[in-house]
Amino acid sequence: MNMSEAEMRHIAEMVAALDKAAGKKPASTAGELNRQQICAALGVSESTIRRLEQAGLPYTPVGARSKRYDLEECKNWLKENNQCPSGTTRTEGSTSALWSAAKDFTISCRKAQLRVMPSE
C-alpha cells in the first residue's frame, strides 16, 4: 500500500486527535510516532513492526516498554533494506510443485477408495 506524504500526515493527525480526546500524551515531536501510529502510517500490522524491529528497524526507547519511531528514518531503512511488509512469499516453482503433489495424493486416495468399496 503506497501512501502519499499528505495521507500519512492526515492519518498521524487523526490518531493524535483520538489520543488527545482519550487523554493520552501526544508524541514529543511531529516525527515521532508510537507503534499504532507507525502501523497506520506504513499500512502494516503490529506484528510486522515487531519483526522489522528485530531486523533492525530504527526506534527510540521511551521508558521501560514504549518506543517511538521517526517516520522518515523508518521509510529510509525500509528502502535500504528491501524489507517486504508481508514477509516472505512463495515462488511459482514451489507452488506448482505443491499442486502436483496434491494432485498425486488425490489420485492415490481415489484408487484406495475404489479398492475398499464392497461389491454388490
Side-chain angles (χ1 to χ4, degrees), residues 15 52-53 70 79:
V15 171
L52 292 172
E53 285 173 7
D70 185 332
K79 286 177 188 174

Side-chain angles (χ1 to χ4, degrees), residues 14-64:
M14 288 179 7
V15 171
L18 289 172
D19 286 349
K20 185 177 180 181
K24 295 181 182 177
K25 288 184 186 177
S28 59
T29 65
E32 291 186 2
L33 306 173
N34 64 25
R35 184 173 283 155
Q36 286 101 7
Q37 291 169 332
I38 195 75
C39 290
L42 296 176
V44 297
S45 68
E46 288 191 38
S47 60
T48 300
I49 293 295
R50 283 188 208 100
R51 181 179 55 81
L52 292 172
E53 285 173 7
Q54 292 175 347
L57 183 72
Y59 63 87
T60 303
V62 179

Side-chain angles (χ1 to χ4, degrees), residues 90-97:
R90 291 184 178 166
T91 60
E92 280 187 39
S94 64
T95 304
S96 62

Side-chain angles (χ1 to χ4, degrees), residues 53-92:
E53 285 173 7
Q54 292 175 347
L57 183 72
Y59 63 87
T60 303
V62 179
R65 296 177 57 183
S66 298
K67 298 173 183 171
R68 294 286 182 254
Y69 306 87
D70 185 332
L71 184 59
E72 290 305 314
E73 280 185 32
C74 291
K75 281 182 176 181
N76 292 335
W77 184 87
L78 289 168
K79 286 177 188 174
E80 291 169 4
N81 293 287
N82 290 326
Q83 292 289 328
C84 176
S86 61
T88 58
T89 57
R90 291 184 178 166
T91 60
E92 280 187 39

